[in-house]
């Protein structure tokens, strides 16, 4: 069978595979070109470079500790993945394990490259903004372009090479590659999110509310940690997050393409439907280069967001044209073009919808700012209500695009064809990934540029960096909406692949085999699984938000201590600096400590459900997490973004401006929203994909371990395994709620001080 697909491919298709690899190499070379261009820019004054150096040191230290922490878990999972593929042959087993390592590396490397340049570009953006708004914007955006290009090229090259080595068996190996990317994305999203928001909450509550000093005042010991957090959370976390969606949709489309070929009995059907996504990905690299390259401002009078939007729109439009020609003249199936076009439309729709709910130009954020006049309670209630509403409309956009796939393939199409169309929607949506990551990474770079300027006392660029930062808030929020939608589409595609894996996969799949594994909601085990899956995002979010609260508790008390105990600090005496390193250490240790429990929940809970409820219960579980995970993620991201920009509207002079009662209420809303929009909400993206990939990996094992292949109930051996895994998760949950020794010691000191 291994040779049949290879021999069944035409010379054009073999050449196309090499062309796709060449596209990947071109993308890497362009990323290196952008990197060299950015690093050639001036780094500014000695003070600016000193502050930037502190940010770089903190960011590098955090990622180094994070990678060391998760290395042992990666090793354990390597063994588990090799064992899971053993029945398919030693080459598949080892290939899956090695691909898992490769996926981990690609995801980590993508995030690392984006972050390392971001912490070097921030000071260059700040300095360039002293003379030109346009030049500052280009440096920030093209720095993000490096992360964007590595995201699209690493995934494309890795998947193409695996396919060229294994052909129709590649899907078994690619599951390991996708799982590796998902796992690292989960770690980087959770850890980075805890780090950045603990520092941000601590800096805001002590500095802006209690001490009444500016946001990035150099006297505040938490400011450096806050700047570090922007990079490890947004830059590294988002790049890894989009990388996994990018890879997972490709894996799902290949699995469904093989199932389609097996159902129709024509191997050429599978080949064409596998080659089409690879071609789409290759085109995406080239159009991302186009989109990044044309982002520039004609002069300083042009608004930066207009130039950025132009690059995004052009990249999407040119991609659509190429998709039409490939679908029409290679696949001879216009349905494939329309499915990918729905993805492009969905990306634009989610961008605009998220912008509406998080930008100060529109009514939702204006309502939040207005509510701040009557205190924190009404501020929080209004923002929460807007977030709830936005989640419904976002879901309708996603549902509409999925329904579009049904319309495109027709009522007579089988489920495999329709779900393949859904996977193409995800592929189309992420075609402009290079530009999307550029837009997101631009945000923390411009934010850091403003912070560095304020801490270094640079005033001649204040208007420019404030403009860049305001645009960055909008682009960060909008790309979060796209990331959430991509996660849902990827998860739906994986859910469609789940039934194929139950039926055996590859050449063993037939329509009759697929019909043996219906997942019907009226089955009690399916409904129980649905309920448990729907609850997982809430439990996961509870763990991550609690982690931010614990770390912020320590940071707030450390900053307060320094304000009171360091002579001359609050007075701004020359030469007196805060002990920023201590806050960085608190953030780093807290984020690393809190990583393991959420990761264990994500990896083991699907297996526990499967061991107790069988494959029907697992199917319900996966469906439940997709629905509730999507709604909760949009709610938290958009509510948090709305609170943030509502506060900024007040800081710009609305309702009394900085220091007013409305401003204090806005800051409270923003600090509540911080862990919503930058920790718990974004972390749900990799969560739903990790759980669906685990479901795919264990599906054949669960079927084989049940009472006969047609049984819905697991065997006694699986039940015992489920009990052991459940015990591990329970211990992890108990440990995640346990008050740390650091917090206990601080609490004792506070109680002793109050008693005196």
């Amino acid at each position: 069978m291994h040779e049949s697909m290879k021999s069944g491919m035409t010379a054009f298709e073999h050449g196309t595979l090499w062309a796709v690899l060449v596209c990947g190499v071109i993308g890497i070379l362009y990323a290196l070109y952008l990197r060299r261009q950015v690093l050639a820019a001036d780094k500014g004054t000695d003070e600016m470079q000193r502050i930037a150096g502190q940010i770089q040191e903190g960011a590098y230290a955090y990622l180094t500790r994070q990678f060391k922490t998760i290395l042992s878990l990666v090793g354990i999972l390597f063994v588990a993945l090799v064992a899971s593929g053993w029945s398919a042959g030693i080459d598949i087993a080892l290939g899956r394990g090695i691909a898992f390592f490769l996926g981990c590396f690609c995801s980590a490397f993508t995030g690392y490259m984006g972050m390392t340049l971001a912490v070097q570009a921030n000071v260059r953006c700040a300095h360039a903004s002293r003379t030109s708004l346009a030049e500052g914007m280009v440096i920030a955006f093209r720095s993000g372009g490096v992360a964007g290009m590595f995201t699209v090229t690493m995934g494309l090259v890795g998947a193409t090479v695996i396919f060229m080595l294994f052909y129709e068996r590649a899907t078994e190996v690619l599951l390991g590659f996708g799982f590796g990317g998902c796992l690292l994305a989960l770690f980087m999203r959770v850890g980075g999110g805890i780090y950045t928001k603990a520092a941000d909450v601590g800096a805001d509550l002590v500095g802006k509310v209690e001490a009444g000093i500016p946001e990035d005042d150099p006297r505040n010991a938490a400011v450096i940690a806050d700047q570090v957090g922007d990079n490890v959370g947004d830059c590294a976390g988002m790049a890894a997050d989009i990388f996994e969606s990018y890879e997972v949709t490709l894996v799902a489309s290949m699995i469904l393409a093989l199932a389609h070929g097996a159902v129709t009995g024509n191997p050429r059907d599978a080949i064409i439907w596998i080659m089409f996504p690879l071609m789409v990905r290759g085109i995406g690299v080239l159009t991302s280069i186009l989109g990044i390259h044309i982002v520039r401002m004609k002069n300083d009078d042009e608004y930066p967001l207009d130039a950025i939007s132009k690059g995004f729109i052009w990249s999407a439009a040119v991609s659509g044209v190429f998709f039409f020609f490939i679908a029409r003249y290679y696949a001879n199936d216009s349905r494939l073009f329309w499915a990918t076009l729905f993805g492009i439309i969905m990306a634009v729709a989610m961008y605009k919808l998220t912008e509406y709910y998080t930008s100060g130009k529109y009514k939702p954020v204006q309502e939040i700012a207005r509510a701040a006049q009557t205190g924190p309670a009404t501020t929080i209630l209004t923002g929460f209500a807007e977030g709830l509403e936005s989640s419904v409309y976002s879901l309708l956009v996603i549902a509409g695009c999925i329904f579009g796939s049904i319309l495109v393939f027709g009522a007579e199409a089988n489920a495999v064809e329709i779900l393949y169309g859904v996977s193409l929607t995800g592929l189309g949506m992420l075609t402009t990934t290079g530009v999307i990551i550029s837009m997101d990474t631009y945000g923390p770079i411009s934010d850091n540029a403003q912070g560095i300027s304020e801490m270094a006392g640079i005033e001649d660029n204040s208007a420019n960096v404030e403009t860049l930062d305001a645009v960055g808030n909008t682009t960060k929020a909008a790309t979060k909406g796209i990331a959430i939608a991509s996660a849902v589409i990827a998860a739906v595609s994986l859910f469609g692949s789940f039934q194929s894996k139950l039926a055996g996969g590859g050449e063993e799949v037939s329509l009759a085999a697929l019909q043996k594994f219906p997942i019907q909601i009226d089955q009690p085990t399916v409904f129980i699984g649905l309920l448990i899956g729907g609850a997982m995002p809430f439990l996961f979010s509870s763990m991550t938000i609690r982690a931010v609260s614990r770390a912020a508790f320590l940071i707030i008390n450390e900053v307060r201590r320094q304000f009171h105990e360091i002579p001359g600090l609050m007075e701004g005496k020359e030469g007196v600096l805060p002990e920023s390193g201590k806050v960085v250490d608190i953030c780093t240790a807290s984020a690393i400590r809190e990583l393991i429990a959420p990761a264990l929940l994500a990896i083991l809970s699907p297996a526990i459900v499967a061991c107790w409820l069988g494959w029907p219960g697992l199917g319900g579980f996966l469906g439940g997490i997709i629905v509730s995970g999507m709604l909760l993620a949009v709610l938290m991201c958009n509510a948090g973004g709305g609170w943030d920009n509502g506060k900024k509207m007040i800081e710009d002079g609305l309702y009394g401006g900085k220091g007013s009662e409305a401003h204090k209420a806005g800051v409270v809303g923003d600090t509540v929203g911080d862990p919503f929009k930058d920790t718990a909400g974004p972390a749900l993206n990799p969560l739903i994909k990790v759980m669906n990939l685990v479901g795919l990996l264990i599906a054949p094992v669960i079927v084989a371990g049940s009472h006969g292949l047609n049984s819905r109930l697991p065997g006694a051996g699986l039940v015992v395994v489920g009990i052991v895994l459940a015990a591990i998760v329970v211990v992890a949950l108990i440990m995640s709620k346990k008050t740390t020794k650091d917090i206990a010691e601080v609490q004792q000191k506070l109680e002793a001080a109050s008693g005196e």
Side-chain angles (χ1 to χ4, degrees), residues 363-615:
K363 186 176 179 181
V365 174
Q366 293 168 4
E367 289 290 336
I368 294 171
R370 185 179 296 113
Q373 296 176 92
T374 51
T378 50
T379 305
I380 293 171
L381 288 172
T382 304
F384 197 77
E386 298 292 355
L388 288 168
E389 180 181 276
S390 69
S391 65
V392 176
Y393 292 121
S394 297
L395 183 142
L396 291 176
V397 169
I398 296 172
C401 288
I402 295 174
F403 187 68
S405 176
I406 298 173
L407 295 178
V408 165
F409 281 85
E412 71 282 357
N414 60 51
V416 171
E417 292 175 325
I418 292 172
L419 288 166
Y420 177 78
V422 173
S423 71
L424 291 186
T425 299
L427 289 165
M429 184 178 190
L430 293 175
T431 297
T432 58
T433 290
V435 182
I436 292 170
I437 295 294
S438 301
M439 293 164 63
D440 184 78
T441 306
Y442 162 88
I445 292 173
S446 58
D447 190 0
N448 272 196
Q450 183 181 27
I452 290 171
S453 298
E454 186 168 333
M455 284 185 282
I458 306 298
E459 298 180 354
D460 55 2
N461 69 344
S462 58
N464 285 345
V465 292
E466 284 176 7
T467 299
L468 293 176
D469 185 30
V471 172
N473 287 329
T474 300
T475 59
K476 282 194 299 183
T479 51
K480 280 187 177 72
I482 295 175
I484 293 168
S486 72
V488 174
I489 292 296
V492 171
S493 302
L494 288 173
F495 187 74
S497 305
F498 176 70
Q499 196 177 31
S500 173
K501 296 297 294 179
L502 290 172
E507 63 182 351
E508 299 172 19
V509 177
S510 65
L511 202 55
L514 289 170
Q515 291 171 348
K516 290 181 180 178
F517 297 93
I519 301 172
Q520 299 169 321
I521 196 171
D522 60 348
Q523 298 174 22
T525 52
V526 174
F527 196 77
I528 294 170
L530 189 69
L531 292 174
I532 297 173
M536 285 299 104
F538 292 87
L539 179 58
F540 183 83
S541 298
S542 169
M543 297 169 73
T544 52
I545 292 173
R546 185 182 292 113
V548 171
S549 179
R550 279 197 293 258
F553 180 89
L554 296 172
I555 292 165
I556 288 169
N557 283 285
E558 175 60 25
V559 175
R560 285 172 176 168
R561 182 194 67 78
Q562 293 190 27
F563 279 159
H564 287 94
E565 295 182 8
I566 299 179
L569 179 62
M570 278 301 296
E571 293 77 14
K573 186 176 180 181
E574 185 176 354
V576 178
L577 296 173
E579 298 171 348
S580 301
K582 290 188 176 181
V583 179
V584 171
D585 287 341
I586 291 171
C587 286
T588 301
S590 299
I592 297 299
R593 183 173 57 236
E594 303 285 0
L595 276 176
I596 302 301
L600 288 176
L601 178 69
I603 296 168
L604 298 183
S605 57
I608 295 168
V609 170
C611 287
W612 288 351
L613 301 178
W615 59 263

Side-chain angles (χ1 to χ4, degrees), residues 241-265:
D241 185 2
I242 293 291
F243 171 84
E244 60 160 337
S245 289
Y246 188 87
E247 205 54 50
V248 162
T249 51
L250 184 59
V251 173
S253 67
M254 287 185 167
I255 293 174
L256 292 164
L258 280 175
H260 170 65
V263 168
T264 63

